[in-house]
Amino acid sequence: MMTGYLTFEIRRTLRDTKFLLFAVALPVGLYLLMADRFIDQGAPASYVMGGVAAFGAMKAALDVGARTAVERGIGWQRQLRLTPLSGSGYLLAKASVAMVVALPPVAGVSLVAGLVSGVHLSAAGWAAAVLGVWAGTVPFALLGLLIGQFATAQNLQAYQGAVVLVLSFIGGLFIPVSTFPQALAAVAKVLPSYWLAQVGHATALGGGGGADRWQAALVLALYALVLGAAVVVRYRRDTARA
């Protein structure tokens, strides 16, 4: 049942060409706008690529997960509870679709960085840059689901906008945290987006930073466990009320 539902969700999402184009076009456009400015200030193009790719993947995963608020509003979740599909199967399918959609923005930004900005990495370096950021997006797919379980169709955009704004700018996806005041830098390091940025920057720059990558991977894995548990608890409470 879950496999059939997952296939249905992937097909439905991939048919939404406007959503997919926006998911790729926004981060690619941001990279093109930001690259020259930051490169002129001495930042490597690969560093900018890592941060913007992380933003694109994060936003795409959040958007897909959060759209469950609309499904709750129209009663689609209630209907699914009457089918043999389990709650865990439903949530796993939704998170999987979010991960599918999170990959094209990372690949798109990386491709443009290579073609336009001349970013040169080895085959292993490109694989690490793309797949590392993509794998680190799991907590954001779950965070999107959690937002979708709390928000309504009416206030969803407000929730999403606030979360994306905080995670993007305070998390250091666009501005190096080293330039922040000490108090704000401490806050940034609590956010999962800071650790996703660490993955993007470290893998894109290559060379050292192995310890930082492993630390970031561990923190993101812990976030995934906590957020996954929160999503399950919230979904079960919704089921009990239904």
Side-chain angles (χ1 to χ4, degrees):
M1 183 68 186
M2 195 204 83
T3 302
Y5 179 69
L6 175 58
T7 303
F8 164 76
E9 282 290 333
I10 290 176
R11 287 177 177 173
R12 184 175 73 156
T13 302
L14 294 180
R15 283 198 298 264
D16 192 349
T17 53
K18 291 182 180 179
F19 173 71
L20 292 175
L21 284 173
F22 182 75
V24 176
L26 177 61
V28 167
L30 283 174
Y31 174 80
L32 293 173
L33 288 171
M34 295 172 59
D36 287 343
R37 177 182 176 185
F38 280 89
I39 291 170
D40 289 343
Q41 294 175 356
S46 54
Y47 184 89
V48 181
M49 178 189 80
V52 177
F55 166 78
M58 178 193 76
K59 188 176 187 306
L62 279 169
D63 287 351
V64 172
R67 290 167 78 179
T68 56
V70 178
E71 295 182 357
R72 288 173 58 244
I74 63 176
W76 178 238
Q77 276 193 4
R78 192 178 303 110
Q79 292 298 317
L80 287 175
R81 289 188 180 105
L82 301 177
T83 72
L85 180 67
S86 66
S88 59
Y90 168 76
L91 296 173
L92 182 58
K94 283 294 186 183
S96 299
V97 173
M99 292 302 296
V100 169
V101 176
L103 183 57
V106 184
V109 170
S110 300
L111 179 63
V112 170
L115 294 177
V116 176
S117 302
V119 174
H120 296 291
L121 299 174
S122 65
W126 281 115
V130 174
L131 298 180
V133 171
W134 180 63
T137 311
V138 172
F140 302 95
L142 296 170
L143 178 58
L145 283 173
L146 189 61
I147 292 172
Q149 294 303 116
F150 279 98
T152 65
Q154 290 72 33
N155 62 23
L156 176 59
Q157 288 188 342
Y159 272 95
Q160 279 182 279
V163 170
V164 170
L165 186 66
V166 170
L167 291 178
S168 300
F169 287 95
I170 300 181
L173 296 181
F174 298 138
I175 304 171
V177 173
S178 59
T179 64
F180 289 3
Q182 186 175 358
L184 188 59
V187 173
K189 293 177 182 179
V190 176
L191 301 176
S193 51
Y194 169 83
W195 298 101
L196 183 62
Q198 293 295 101
V199 173
H201 294 154
T203 54
L205 287 169
D212 291 339
R213 286 196 293 270
W214 282 111
Q215 183 182 10
L218 176 60
V219 173
L220 290 169
L222 291 174
Y223 261 109
L225 289 173
V226 172
L227 289 168
V231 169
V232 170
V233 169
R234 177 64 184 180
Y235 183 82
R236 287 176 176 172
R237 288 181 179 176
D238 260 6
T239 302
R241 288 198 298 265

